[in-house]
Amino acid sequence: MADSNFIDYVKIFCRSGNGGAGSMHLRREKYVPKGGPDGGDGGRGGHIILRANPQFWTLIHLKYRKHVMAEHGAAGSGQLCKGKNGEDVILDVPLGTVAKDAETGEVLMELLEPGEEKILIPGGRGGLGNNNFKSATNQTPRYAQPGEPGQEGWFILELKILADVGLVGFPNAGKSTLLAAVTAAKPKIANYAFTTLEPNLGIVRYYDDQSFVMADIPGIIEGAHEGKGIGLRFLRHIERNSILLFLIPADTDDFKKAYDILLNELRLYNPELLVKERVLAISKSDMLDEKMISEIEPTLPTDVPHIFFSSVSGENLPALKTMLWDALHR
C-alpha cells in the first residue's frame, strides 16, 4: 500500500490563531488635549475550516501535512483602528469526510454537500479596545482586553466514500470484474484473494442518460469486524452506500451460509447497515446450467431478491442494472 494514492485516514494537529489584543490608546491631537479613549479592537484569529471539494477523492494531500496552523489576529490601534483578522486556513477534503477528536473519538462533523464549509477550530476572538469601556463615570479607561487564545488539538479525518451501490463479498468473488464490466473503471483483476486493496468507483450508465455510482469494496472475511484481513479499514466505506449488492460466486458450497457470514460481519460492525436495501447476486453463473440453477435457487435466502449473472459472458447484466436501479428508487 506504500505506493497507493488512495488515503482515507489521516491524523493532523491543528491550531487556530490567537485573537489580537485591544488597544489602550487616548486621543491626542493639537488643540484636543483630552480627546478621550480611541483604542480599536483586536482582530480575530484565523479559523481552521474544512471544505467539501467534489474534485478530491482521497486525503493524500494531507498525509504529510501533519501540522496546520492559522494566522494570529493583529492588535488594535489608536483612532479606533481595528486589528486585521488572522487569515483562515481552508482544508479541501473529499465529499464524505468525517472529522473526529483524536483523543475522545467524538464525531465533530461530516461534509456531504459540494462546497460545504465547516469550522473545525474557531480562531480566538479579538480583545476590545479601551473605547468600549468608557462611561459617564469612567471617561478615560486606561485598560483594554487581551485577545482570546486560539485552540489546538489532534484530529482524525476519515473518508467514507459516497456511492449508490456498494459491492459486498468475499475476496475473489468477482466484484472488480463486475465493476469493470458495467463501468469504465479499470480495477486490478487477478485470480487471488485481496487483489483489491482500496475502494474503486465507477459510473454505471442506465437508460436515457441516467446513471448511478457503484463502489467496489475490498473483500470481507469472517472476523472482519475485529480487524481480520483488511476489514476494519474498509468496512466504513459501506456505511455511505444506498444499496448493498451481495456477491457470492457460483462455485460456493453453501450460499445461505456465505450470505449469513457477510450479513453478520456487517451487523457486528454497525447494526444500522442492516436497514439498507440489499440485493443478492450469484456471480460467475456461466459455470452453471439451468438444472444447477434450479437446484441452487431453493437454498438462497428468501428475504432478499436475487439474480444469477456473469460478468464475462454478459449474461443478465442488463437485468442486474435494472434491479439495482429499481432498488435505488424504491
Side-chain angles (χ1 to χ4, degrees), residues 100 102-103 108 149 151 169 176 185 206 215 296:
K100 297 180 179 179
E103 291 187 7
L108 304 175
Q151 302 176 32
S176 298
Y206 197 60
I296 292 173

Side-chain angles (χ1 to χ4, degrees), residues 63-209:
K63 181 179 180 181
Y64 302 107
R65 189 179 179 182
K66 291 298 183 185
H67 297 84
V68 180
M69 301 181 186
E71 188 179 48
H72 299 315
S77 57
Q79 297 183 332
L80 299 179
C81 292
K82 184 179 184 298
K84 176 179 175 290
N85 289 340
E87 188 174 350
D88 298 332
V89 174
I90 298 178
L91 301 177
D92 284 308
V93 296
L95 273 68
T97 297
V98 177
K100 297 180 179 179
D101 186 301
E103 291 187 7
T104 64
E106 177 190 1
V107 175
L108 304 175
M109 61 188 65
E110 303 179 35
L111 292 99
L112 303 176
E113 300 294 331
E116 182 179 9
E117 293 186 3
K118 292 187 177 179
I119 298 176
L120 181 63
I121 306 183
R125 291 176 296 183
L128 297 177
N130 65 338
N131 178 66
N132 294 275
F133 302 106
K134 65 183 179 182
S135 66
T137 57
N138 186 12
Q139 297 183 1
T140 56
R142 298 176 183 272
Y143 51 85
Q145 275 186 337
E148 188 177 77
Q151 302 176 32
E152 62 179 41
W154 284 93
F155 298 89
I156 291 172
L157 301 182
E158 283 184 352
L159 172 60
K160 299 179 182 180
I161 59 174
L162 296 164
D164 298 309
V165 178
L167 304 182
V168 179
F170 294 109
N172 218 26
K175 301 185 295 298
S176 298
T177 308
L178 172 60
L179 188 73
V182 297
T183 75
K186 299 289 187 289
K188 182 179 180 181
I189 300 172
N191 190 27
Y192 56 82
F194 295 114
T195 308
T196 302
L197 293 176
E198 59 189 47
N200 292 296
L201 292 176
I203 298 176
V204 181
R205 299 293 178 188
Y206 197 60
Y207 303 110
D208 299 326
D209 293 328

Side-chain angles (χ1 to χ4, degrees), residues 23-319:
S23 171
M24 199 298 295
H25 190 269
L26 300 176
R27 183 183 173 198
R28 290 291 180 265
E29 295 180 30
K30 192 175 183 180
Y31 308 123
V32 188
K34 297 181 180 180
D38 69 345
D41 300 339
R44 169 185 61 78
H47 299 321
I48 305 291
I49 299 174
L50 298 183
R51 178 171 62 194
N53 189 333
Q55 296 185 346
F56 283 69
W57 66 281
T58 174
L59 295 169
I60 191 172
H61 60 294
L62 298 176
K63 181 179 180 181
Y64 302 107
R65 189 179 179 182
K66 291 298 183 185
H67 297 84
V68 180
M69 301 181 186
E71 188 179 48
H72 299 315
S77 57
Q79 297 183 332
L80 299 179
C81 292
K82 184 179 184 298
K84 176 179 175 290
N85 289 340
E87 188 174 350
D88 298 332
V89 174
I90 298 178
L91 301 177
D92 284 308
V93 296
L95 273 68
T97 297
V98 177
K100 297 180 179 179
D101 186 301
E103 291 187 7
T104 64
E106 177 190 1
V107 175
L108 304 175
M109 61 188 65
E110 303 179 35
L111 292 99
L112 303 176
E113 300 294 331
E116 182 179 9
E117 293 186 3
K118 292 187 177 179
I119 298 176
L120 181 63
I121 306 183
R125 291 176 296 183
L128 297 177
N130 65 338
N131 178 66
N132 294 275
F133 302 106
K134 65 183 179 182
S135 66
T137 57
N138 186 12
Q139 297 183 1
T140 56
R142 298 176 183 272
Y143 51 85
Q145 275 186 337
E148 188 177 77
Q151 302 176 32
E152 62 179 41
W154 284 93
F155 298 89
I156 291 172
L157 301 182
E158 283 184 352
L159 172 60
K160 299 179 182 180
I161 59 174
L162 296 164
D164 298 309
V165 178
L167 304 182
V168 179
F170 294 109
N172 218 26
K175 301 185 295 298
S176 298
T177 308
L178 172 60
L179 188 73
V182 297
T183 75
K186 299 289 187 289
K188 182 179 180 181
I189 300 172
N191 190 27
Y192 56 82
F194 295 114
T195 308
T196 302
L197 293 176
E198 59 189 47
N200 292 296
L201 292 176
I203 298 176
V204 181
R205 299 293 178 188
Y206 197 60
Y207 303 110
D208 299 326
D209 293 328
Q210 299 181 95
S211 62
F212 56 89
V213 178
M214 180 178 286
D216 171 21
I217 310 295
I220 297 173
I221 63 172
E222 193 167 7
H225 71 283
E226 299 174 339
K228 292 183 180 179
I230 50 177
L232 278 180
R233 183 166 182 181
F234 293 114
L235 273 172
R236 66 172 171 269
H237 292 298
I238 298 175
E239 296 182 51
R240 293 273 190 244
N241 304 152
S242 302
I243 306 293
L244 300 180
L245 176 60
F246 285 73
L247 251 63
I248 299 178
D251 54 0
T252 301
D253 294 330
D254 189 331
F255 293 91
K256 180 68 165 58
K257 181 181 177 181
Y259 174 77
D260 288 342
I261 290 174
L262 292 171
L263 199 61
N264 190 50
E265 288 304 316
L266 299 188
R267 179 188 296 110
L268 293 173
Y269 174 72
N270 184 354
E272 294 180 7
L273 293 175
L274 302 189
V275 179
K276 294 181 181 292
E277 185 93 17
R278 302 191 295 271
V279 175
L280 174 60
I282 309 302
S283 62
K284 308 178 184 179
S285 63
D286 52 320
M287 302 166 56
L288 308 173
D289 56 28
E290 290 187 7
K291 181 181 178 182
M292 297 170 71
I293 291 177
S294 63
E295 292 174 351
I296 292 173
E297 279 196 309
T299 68
L300 299 178
T302 57
D303 60 340
V304 59
H306 66 266
I307 187 172
F308 291 79
F309 79 96
S310 170
S311 300
V312 176
S313 68
E315 175 190 354
N316 276 345
L317 282 182

